[in-house]
């Protein structure tokens, strides 16, 4: 399975962006991670095969929403009320687990990343 993330860009604080991730084949649970300059990659959000099964990092709860379209093999991350500390390269990942998973080691496939820059 190949993953292609898109939708990153430059936005002012308080603005919004929508990231998309296209999968070349069927996937089960999917997630978004991010890596800020000089920091380790961290979990952002995840969604199970059942779209009602979701999880979020505390830092993005209430601002970010993960969703998916199984018919199109797509997953999305709607990011609202963006803050400068959200600046990072965002990666989508796919797991063969049906339920939502959080640890990086649970993911089997990774996309190339898309850069999100939030200016103050």
């Amino acid at each position: 399975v190949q993953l292609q993330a898109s939708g990153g860009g430059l936005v002012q604080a308080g603005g919004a962006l929508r990231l998309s991730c296209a999968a070349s084949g069927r996937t089960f649970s999917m997630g978004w991670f991010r890596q800020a300059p000089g920091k380790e990659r961290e979990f952002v959000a995840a969604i199970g095969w059942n779209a009602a099964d979701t999880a979020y990092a505390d830092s993005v709860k209430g601002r970010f929403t993960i969703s998916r379209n199984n018919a199109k093999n797509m997953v999305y991350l709607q990011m609202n009320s963006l803050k400068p500390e959200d600046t990072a390269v965002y990666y989508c990942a796919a797991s063969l687990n049906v339920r939502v998973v959080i640890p990086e080691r649970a993911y089997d496939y990774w996309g190339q990343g898309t850069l999100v820059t939030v200016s103050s």
Side-chain angles (χ1 to χ4, degrees):
V1 175
Q2 293 183 329
L3 304 175
Q4 180 72 41
S6 61
L10 173 64
V11 63
Q12 289 187 334
L17 280 176
R18 187 193 195 207
L19 304 184
S20 299
C21 179
S24 63
R26 185 177 182 180
T27 59
F28 294 97
S29 61
M30 297 190 73
W32 288 96
F33 291 77
R34 66 186 181 187
Q35 187 167 20
K39 296 186 177 181
E40 294 187 351
R41 189 159 58 187
E42 64 177 2
F43 168 78
V44 176
I47 187 166
W49 176 251
N50 181 340
D53 188 13
T54 60
Y56 295 92
D58 288 343
S59 59
V60 306
K61 279 181 182 177
R63 299 188 298 122
F64 291 11
T65 301
I66 190 170
S67 61
R68 68 187 299 161
N69 183 325
N70 290 339
K72 295 183 177 180
N73 292 328
M74 295 287 296
V75 66
Y76 308 97
L77 185 68
Q78 178 66 44
M79 305 185 296
N80 299 328
S81 303
L82 283 161
K83 305 174 181 180
E85 51 264 43
D86 293 319
T87 294
V89 176
Y90 283 71
Y91 299 90
C92 65
S95 170
L96 297 177
N97 289 285
V98 175
R99 295 296 307 277
V100 68
V101 291
I102 294 175
E104 285 193 36
R105 63 180 181 275
Y107 286 86
D108 303 285
Y109 307 100
W110 291 84
Q112 86 291 356
T114 184
L115 177 63
V116 172
T117 304
V118 184
S119 62
S120 58

